[in-house]
Amino acid sequence: MVAAEVKNALGLELSNSSMGPLWPGHRGPGWRQQLASAWSLLQQEEYVYFSLLQDLSRHVLPVLGSCGHFYVVEYLAAGSPHHSALFPLDESGRAQDKAISRIALSFLDMVSHFENDFSHRLHLCDIKPENFAIRSDFTVVAIDVDMAFFEPKMREILEQNCTGDEDCNFFDCFSKCDLRINRCGAQRVNSNLQVICDKIFHRWFCSSPRSPAVSWPLRLQLQQAVRECAGSAGLAWSSWGVAPQVFWKLRRLLQATLKELQDAEE
């Protein structure tokens, strides 16, 4: 029954040995109460995600404990469009620019991790600052995964009837309408990276004035790379093979930006 709940929520087939923290443990005193608590927690998709991924990803909130249908996670500072830097940063000026560069690099690390390091690609269909938080070391953490789907579930969601491409948009996850059969393709045609470039990186690197400590040619290259990344919705990026050129360009430029900011302090 636990495996069936995971299959229904996440679209994943789990063996008994993979249940981990979702299973209450061996029979003993209080086992029925533990079972009742486990069942109430299993009805919450985010708990299932956090529990299964907490030992596999530093970009997902760990579950620290539970009681009945309540569970406790790490407390972190969440992003918000009302923050000038999208995330609550104590720094200003050059120090803030360094922090933003580190956060951006962590976003890239998360993108690569969700794309490559699980048995199925993990799609984020609601990307906005409020759904992420940062640790003190500027690691980006997904704190709201209500709209996160592994590849099998994503394909199931996208493959719907349609009369045009707009019918195949599921929040930030897009597909294409095959007008021959009036059916959306099961393959996502944009990517987590594209949406992050559009909704987060663009504000940092294209809309706000940047530190004069970063050379103008480098700032211009970074702006162009972010626009290239965000504006390439026509490319079938759901295949990771199409994306690395922009991904690695962004990573190289962000590392160069961080180095220039660090050198300016010395």
Side-chain angles (χ1 to χ4, degrees):
M1 290 175 71
V2 172
E5 284 296 306
V6 173
K7 176 71 163 62
N8 181 59
L10 276 59
L12 299 179
E13 300 275 2
L14 289 188
S15 64
N16 288 346
S17 61
S18 303
M19 293 301 173
L22 297 178
W23 185 245
H26 300 293
R27 292 177 183 269
W31 188 75
R32 287 187 178 276
Q33 288 82 1
Q34 291 176 356
L35 202 62
S37 294
W39 188 248
S40 64
L41 289 167
L42 279 167
Q43 310 310 304
Q44 304 173 67
E45 286 188 21
E46 283 195 312
Y47 172 80
V48 177
Y49 267 108
F50 293 151
S51 296
L52 290 177
L53 299 182
Q54 64 181 358
D55 294 328
L56 304 175
S57 175
R58 65 194 184 110
H59 294 289
V60 175
L61 278 177
V63 175
L64 304 180
S66 63
C67 180
H69 65 282
F70 294 103
Y71 63 95
V72 181
V73 295
E74 180 183 9
Y75 180 77
L76 294 172
S80 168
H82 301 301
H83 294 300
S84 60
L86 296 182
F87 291 90
L89 300 174
D90 296 330
E91 298 89 347
S92 60
R94 190 179 298 158
Q96 184 179 95
D97 288 330
K98 283 176 58 182
I100 287 173
S101 296
R102 287 194 175 103
I103 296 169
L105 283 166
S106 187
F107 265 112
L108 293 185
D109 182 68
M110 183 190 72
V111 164
S112 178
H113 174 53
F114 286 176
E115 188 77 23
N116 298 303
D117 295 346
F118 301 135
S119 56
H120 297 285
R121 185 181 298 117
L122 182 59
H123 298 274
L124 304 177
C125 293
D126 188 15
I127 291 175
K128 55 189 177 186
E130 304 95 299
N131 289 345
F132 300 94
I134 55 169
R135 293 194 175 99
S136 57
D137 64 354
F138 304 115
T139 297
V140 173
V141 180
I143 60 172
D144 187 333
V145 292
D146 277 344
M147 300 292 289
F149 306 98
F150 284 104
E151 183 72 20
K153 190 73 172 181
M154 186 80 266
R155 296 177 70 87
E156 180 184 315
I157 291 169
L158 290 175
E159 201 170 23
Q160 305 293 330
N161 294 331
C162 61
T163 57
D165 286 345
E166 64 279 0
D167 296 330
C168 302
N169 295 347
F170 184 76
F171 295 87
D172 290 329
C173 295
F174 302 161
S175 179
K176 290 281 188 183
C177 182
D178 186 341
L179 293 175
R180 296 170 301 173
I181 57 174
N182 293 113
R183 191 80 172 164
C184 296
Q187 189 84 357
R188 184 183 178 189
V189 297
N190 66 342
S191 72
N192 292 336
L193 179 59
Q194 279 178 278
V195 185
I196 287 170
C197 283
D198 182 39
K199 292 192 169 184
I200 295 178
F201 286 5
H202 191 275
R203 176 165 167 178
W204 279 339
F205 304 112
C206 301
S207 302
S208 303
R210 307 309 305 155
S211 170
V214 179
S215 63
W216 169 244
L218 180 54
R219 279 184 279 165
L220 184 60
Q221 288 180 66
L222 186 54
Q223 288 176 7
Q224 290 172 338
V226 169
R227 291 192 178 105
E228 178 186 356
C229 172
S232 50
L235 297 177
W237 274 37
S238 52
S239 169
W240 184 244
V242 185
Q245 56 195 33
V246 177
F247 174 90
W248 291 110
K249 182 191 294 186
L250 282 169
R251 192 169 184 271
R252 174 178 56 81
L253 292 170
L254 285 168
Q255 288 173 332
T257 298
L258 188 57
K259 185 176 186 306
E260 286 196 5
L261 288 166
Q262 289 170 332
D263 290 345
E265 289 184 340
E266 297 175 357

